Amino acid sequence: FVSVINPSTGKVDWKLQDDQYDYHQEIARSGYADMLHDTERNKKYYKALAEAIQIKRGLGEPVNVLDIGTGTGLLSMMAARLGADTVTACEAFEPMAKCAREIIQQNGFGNKIRLIPKRSTDITVGRDGDMPERANILVTEVFDTELIGEGAINTFTHAHRELLQKNSIVVPSAANMYVQVVSSDFIRRWRDIRPIKLPGGGVIDPPSEMTSCGGAPALHDLQLHELPQSLFQVLSSPLLIFRFDFSGTHPLKFDNQSSKTFEALHAGQTDGIFMWWDLEMDTKNKINLSCAPGWGHPRPEELQWRDHWMQAIYYPNQPLSVQKGDKVKVISSHDEYSLWFNVQPTNSVDSSDNMGPACSCGMHVSYSRSQIGMLNDPHRRDIYYSLLKEKVTPNSIVLTISDGSLLSLVAARLGAKQVFALETNNFTRKILQQFINHNDLGDKVTILSKEPEEVTDDDLQGYKIDLVVGEPYFQSAVLPWHHVHFWYAARQLSGFLSETAEVFPCLLTIKAMAVSFRDLWKIRSPVGMCEGFNIQLFDQLIESSSEISDSEVEPQPLWEYPCTACTDPVTVQSFDFSEASWVDNTSKLSNISITLDPSINEKCNGVVLWAEYQFTDQLKVSLGPREKVIVGEKVEWDFYSQQGINLLTNKGKDSIENLKTIDVSLTFKPTTGDFDFIFKTKTL
């Protein structure tokens, strides 16, 4: 039994899990399958290895290859097949080391590859060591979206000092990092909570300590290629800011800073800094692997989808307004594991302090990027304002229930007599209090820091609540329908509601739709054969661990992962929370069948589920498509929420052939807040 937060009720539950649950979850979510489906990566590593081995052969040297972080053993087997005299592979993740050993044996390289289940920094060289002599070729893939976040700098530095001969060849040989400065009102929504301007002149301003804060130090990694270009304006061309030489010719710097000056291509504000990198796979950079988005890719015809290396957005400490032609400099910094950036006028003096940004206001570390985006989303703001404008009167006693919501301040500004904000989240409660103080609403808005069942008449100052409202949003939610937490809290407070009290939203609808994912299917699809090597033992390892640790439905931000609608959306189940019976002891079961249109050429490989929260007949917040769904066309998803997905697989294929229907069964258990889904497919 393990203690977990129930995402629907917000309470601590005891849950029965496999003794090795964490172990299996780590395997199932390791990301190796995504890398093995990265055809460009595999082929370019293979080609660069072949060239390195050929160079050493041409020099009359024996070829001794070291593979750091071998994973499935793929790169080691490539080296062995290419004729290396010795191949040493190391892998510190014990289940993968065991799997790699079996894969290597199955592919006939058991006597050619020596596998060491250690970190490379623990390997010894010498007569009694792990390696009898130093290697003269290093091949490794120890990169993440930030390039250096997995410790690449120390890995290469240690390898050259302790494990490699002088004049060794390293694959890849080098990496180049690029940034591009952009202006975008849309991107700025992910950084700071912006003023809420109410029609009629009212405004809710963020505290000055938030507007002057440098923001969160963490990168904002995402599939930048899927961000519509209409939502940003580039202010600079891609700028080369760092070059990392892995060859050993020049020592890698553990801390570094660069300054690059550019002329603004357009007028605007420096709202974001896009970042990506490429790899020079060979010594002459004839084999180059780029992670650039489509508009910045040097070879668009080679654009490869991958989820293990994405792009990132960084946010300047303070946005800078520029005119076309202005000279601006980008200050780029890194330490051993992370990056940070800033933008300054060319006439400013660089700060001697090379420390990275740190949030001083608390908001940037209390709210996720997606929640900040939700709070700034004009569509959501219009819905909430329209509702409160209609329902709030000078006599209204309002209760808001959500994590980090500003609806309580909106209700107060609209003239409510008294507003109570139920905030059980310690972090977002502090931020809300800062907003209340800054906007001089302390006499109108009272924060309730207790759990719903602990609230008393004294806490509510003897008032009866006549309007309960939520976005709803809770940081404990994993899937879109978990914000049902709102109604559990409202129900526990029902004794404090007036006879005419209204609760909004009043309806939760769970929708489903069959889709064809362009690429996302790869994260769960078996690999089978990869560059001529049998990797099926890895597939079996992932599948067995996935059965133990994975749920039927997993969350994904689908605006980043294109898909085509194979059917119209259908309703799986609706919950009318104006009816008291919704949270009795009776489980609620629904079954629906999604019928595919045989005229759609797209191969269905997944089911998407999302939630819609209805406030009135005209006001609804959808955590799903942001535009009308048209069967056979790309679905445009909400930018600020995750949807639930169930990926369909069929023994290595990316879709199920001749699929006719998909049956979706949902059982909701009100007493526990559990939503249990079952998916069954039927073929022609």
Side-chain angles (χ1 to χ4, degrees), residues 151-163 251-254:
I153 293 177
N154 186 56
T155 297
F156 285 106
T157 299
H158 175 269
H160 281 292
R161 187 178 66 241
E162 304 290 344
L163 306 176
L252 289 169
K253 295 181 179 180
F254 282 72

Side-chain angles (χ1 to χ4, degrees), residues 227-296:
L227 186 66
Q229 288 182 254
S230 61
L231 295 179
F232 62 89
Q233 174 76 267
V234 297
L235 298 181
S236 76
S237 301
L239 305 171
L240 175 62
I241 54 163
F242 291 124
R243 175 176 169 79
F244 298 86
D245 184 352
F246 302 137
S247 69
T249 305
H250 305 287
L252 289 169
K253 295 181 179 180
F254 282 72
D255 297 277
N256 199 8
Q257 187 178 80
S258 75
S259 178
K260 292 286 184 179
T261 300
F262 68 92
E263 285 191 6
L265 300 175
H266 304 276
Q269 185 170 274
T270 59
D271 296 309
I273 300 171
F274 295 164
M275 185 281 296
W276 64 85
W277 46 263
D278 67 20
L279 296 175
E280 297 178 8
M281 303 301 296
D282 62 317
T283 56
K284 297 180 180 178
N285 195 23
K286 292 182 179 179
I287 308 169
N288 184 278
L289 187 156
S290 176
C291 293
W295 69 84

Side-chain angles (χ1 to χ4, degrees), residues 32-327:
Y32 290 102
D34 171 38
M35 290 186 282
L36 294 170
H37 281 296
D38 188 342
T39 304
E40 181 191 20
R41 167 191 175 274
N42 301 336
K43 290 186 179 299
K44 289 186 174 179
Y45 262 100
Y46 211 163
K47 187 175 181 180
L49 256 177
E51 183 172 303
I53 290 173
Q54 185 179 10
I55 290 172
K56 288 300 182 184
R57 285 278 182 237
L59 295 172
E61 298 180 22
V63 179
N64 300 315
V65 177
L66 171 62
D67 174 10
I68 293 179
T70 194
T72 60
L74 177 65
L75 300 182
S76 290
M77 292 189 292
M78 288 178 178
R81 180 172 287 176
L82 289 166
D85 295 301
T86 68
V87 181
T88 302
C90 70
E91 176 56 57
F93 187 32
E94 185 247 334
M96 281 310 305
K98 181 176 182 294
C99 180
R101 192 183 303 279
E102 294 174 357
I103 289 174
I104 289 168
Q105 189 70 35
Q106 185 185 58
N107 281 272
F109 298 106
N111 62 345
K112 193 75 177 286
I113 299 171
R114 183 179 186 185
L115 193 145
I116 303 170
K118 290 183 178 180
R119 294 181 179 276
S120 63
T121 50
D122 295 330
I123 291 177
T124 57
V125 178
R127 179 179 298 178
D128 299 322
D130 299 306
M131 296 169 57
E133 59 181 325
R134 291 176 178 242
N136 59 2
I137 293 178
L138 169 64
V139 61
T140 185
E141 196 276 81
V142 287
F143 311 114
D144 64 353
T145 292
E146 280 195 295
L147 183 72
I148 59 175
E150 293 184 2
I153 293 177
N154 186 56
T155 297
F156 285 106
T157 299
H158 175 269
H160 281 292
R161 187 178 66 241
E162 304 290 344
L163 306 176
L164 299 177
Q165 301 174 14
K166 289 184 178 179
N167 301 317
S168 290
I169 297 176
V170 178
V171 180
S173 179
N176 302 293
M177 186 171 289
Y178 303 88
V179 297
Q180 189 168 27
V181 183
V182 300
S183 176
S184 172
D185 179 78
F186 175 83
I187 286 173
R188 193 160 66 248
R189 294 177 196 166
W190 278 318
R191 186 194 187 278
D192 291 312
I193 300 176
R194 301 167 71 181
I196 301 176
K197 297 179 181 178
L198 305 176
V203 64
I204 296 166
D205 286 316
S208 57
E209 55 265 36
M210 294 181 193
T211 57
S212 61
C213 179
L219 83 162
H220 184 185
D221 56 335
L222 71 172
Q223 295 285 355
L224 204 53
H225 180 70
E226 301 307 325
L227 186 66
Q229 288 182 254
S230 61
L231 295 179
F232 62 89
Q233 174 76 267
V234 297
L235 298 181
S236 76
S237 301
L239 305 171
L240 175 62
I241 54 163
F242 291 124
R243 175 176 169 79
F244 298 86
D245 184 352
F246 302 137
S247 69
T249 305
H250 305 287
L252 289 169
K253 295 181 179 180
F254 282 72
D255 297 277
N256 199 8
Q257 187 178 80
S258 75
S259 178
K260 292 286 184 179
T261 300
F262 68 92
E263 285 191 6
L265 300 175
H266 304 276
Q269 185 170 274
T270 59
D271 296 309
I273 300 171
F274 295 164
M275 185 281 296
W276 64 85
W277 46 263
D278 67 20
L279 296 175
E280 297 178 8
M281 303 301 296
D282 62 317
T283 56
K284 297 180 180 178
N285 195 23
K286 292 182 179 179
I287 308 169
N288 184 278
L289 187 156
S290 176
C291 293
W295 69 84
H297 203 288
R299 300 169 301 279
E301 70 280 1
E302 293 184 5
L303 187 65
Q304 168 83 42
W305 180 86
R306 49 178 64 97
D307 210 40
H308 53 106
W309 302 329
M310 294 190 284
Q311 301 82 36
I313 302 177
Y314 295 83
Y315 299 87
N317 289 345
Q318 289 297 319
L320 179 69
S321 293
V322 300
Q323 297 299 317
K324 181 178 180 180
D326 283 357
K327 290 188 176 181

Side-chain angles (χ1 to χ4, degrees), residues 38 53 117 123 157 170 215 229 240 255 273 312 314 342 353 381 438 454-455 461 523-524 549 553 557 564 634 672:
D38 188 342
I53 290 173
I123 291 177
T157 299
V170 178
Q229 288 182 254
L240 175 62
D255 297 277
I273 300 171
Y314 295 83
N342 204 7
D353 183 5
R381 285 189 173 186
H438 181 74
E454 298 171 349
V455 173
Q461 303 168 25
I523 66 172
R524 300 289 175 266
S549 66
V553 180
T564 300
K634 180 184 176 183
T672 62

